[in-house]
Amino acid sequence: MSKIKLMYDVINTMKEKEVLSGIFKAEGKKDQLQVASFINEFEKNLLNGETKVKISTELDLNGKKVKHESQTEFTMQGCCVGNRHHGLMHHMHHHHLDQNQEDIRCGGIKEKLTKLAFLLNIFNQIQVDEQEDKSVMLSLNLSEIPDELKKVLQERMIHKTMPEHHRHHGFMKEFCTLNDPKVRFSLWITKAREVEKIEVTIEGKQIDELNETHDMNLRAELHLV
């Protein structure tokens, strides 16, 4: 089965959806003890921008326990309303321009080629498992990430989690600095070429300020309905 043709069919199918809904769950463990849990139930109308979100968060960092629940409804204004294709392309266009500008500042063509080579290598490593019911599971194991790309990813993650008023950012930073991280990515695609579920697991070692080693584990799952 051609991976390129498969992904082309999935993208074309998903971009025609008028409503996107599902649930995102993430759980983080430190030395086998749960230190973070995040649940986000969402529903978004891609035609008019109406969005419903229900969020539940639990954190236990260094003995400090935090729980938060919220539920909200809002309408995305601007390019997304009334034309889901225009909204998607508008977002991608601006993201591409911003990304190009950042790439130029961070090393230009050499860094872009390094990233492209890494992405092509990842794509080549993806395993395709076609089921009897014509559904497909894609899987990818990343045990070795090039040092250059690892540094870029860590810097971007740390940059995105700088605001200290978001307590869960401190937990995310711990996963940005793991030693020898192992990443597993799985994607389930239905017979109709719709994304059904995405699962990501990250495991690695963390060395704290006291030079003590901790086992870190993060599992995230996105289930679309």
Side-chain angles (χ1 to χ4, degrees):
M1 174 181 291
S2 169
K3 288 183 281 190
I4 294 178
K5 177 62 165 60
L6 175 63
M7 296 311 299
Y8 176 81
D9 291 342
V10 170
I11 291 173
N12 279 334
T13 299
M14 297 301 294
K15 77 177 185 180
E16 295 299 326
K17 295 180 73 67
E18 297 183 356
V19 176
L20 189 65
S21 62
I23 180 169
F24 173 80
K25 296 181 179 180
E27 178 185 76
K29 292 184 177 181
K30 185 174 183 178
D31 295 330
Q32 304 302 315
L33 297 177
Q34 180 176 302
V35 293
S37 174
F38 177 81
I39 300 176
N40 180 359
E41 300 179 52
F42 63 90
E43 179 180 310
K44 181 176 181 179
N45 187 309
L46 302 180
L47 295 178
N48 57 27
E50 292 182 356
T51 305
K52 300 177 182 179
V53 178
K54 182 179 180 181
I55 297 175
S56 174
T57 304
E58 292 187 18
L59 299 176
D60 186 353
L61 298 177
N62 299 322
K64 297 180 180 179
K65 295 185 179 181
V66 178
K67 292 186 179 182
H68 174 76
E69 292 186 357
S70 64
Q71 187 170 346
T72 184
E73 297 183 16
F74 56 90
T75 300
M76 298 291 292
Q77 300 294 332
C79 62
C80 294
V81 179
N83 191 328
R84 63 180 183 277
H85 295 154
H86 178 268
L88 176 63
M89 295 306 297
H90 182 81
H91 172 76
M92 293 177 64
H93 173 69
H94 280 276
H95 175 75
H96 180 67
L97 290 178
D98 293 341
Q99 187 66 51
N100 282 342
Q101 293 173 356
E102 184 174 349
D103 286 337
I104 292 174
R105 292 194 298 270
C106 296
I109 187 67
K110 183 177 180 180
E111 182 177 325
K112 294 179 74 172
L113 290 175
T114 298
K115 293 177 183 177
L116 179 60
F118 175 74
L119 292 176
L120 291 175
N121 183 45
I122 286 180
F123 190 76
N124 186 54
Q125 293 184 53
I126 293 176
Q127 301 295 317
V128 180
D129 185 12
E130 187 172 5
Q131 310 296 314
E132 292 184 1
D133 62 357
K134 301 301 181 182
S135 63
V136 178
M137 185 183 80
L138 303 182
S139 60
L140 173 67
N141 287 298
L142 288 178
S143 58
E144 296 184 4
I145 301 177
D147 290 338
E148 290 186 9
L149 187 62
K150 186 187 298 183
K151 181 179 179 181
V152 172
L153 293 174
Q154 290 177 347
E155 288 177 349
R156 291 191 176 184
M157 284 294 293
I158 291 174
H159 174 73
K160 292 179 180 295
T161 59
M162 281 301 292
E164 296 298 332
H165 59 279
H166 293 293
R167 294 176 180 264
H168 64 276
H169 287 162
F171 171 73
M172 291 305 299
K173 286 182 182 180
E174 296 189 56
F175 279 93
C176 298
T177 55
L178 293 181
N179 294 324
D180 301 321
K182 295 181 180 179
V183 181
R184 177 176 174 80
F185 172 87
S186 300
L187 171 65
W188 285 264
I189 300 170
T190 68
K191 178 181 178 181
R193 296 302 181 252
E194 293 184 344
V195 174
E196 180 180 18
K197 186 172 71 171
I198 301 173
E199 182 179 284
V200 179
T201 59
I202 303 175
E203 297 178 350
K205 303 287 186 179
Q206 180 209 51
I207 300 178
D208 62 18
E209 297 176 352
L210 300 177
N211 205 33
E212 296 180 345
T213 302
H214 302 279
D215 293 322
M216 304 293 292
N217 178 283
L218 175 66
R219 180 176 181 272
E221 177 183 305
L222 173 63
H223 188 86
L224 299 179
V225 296

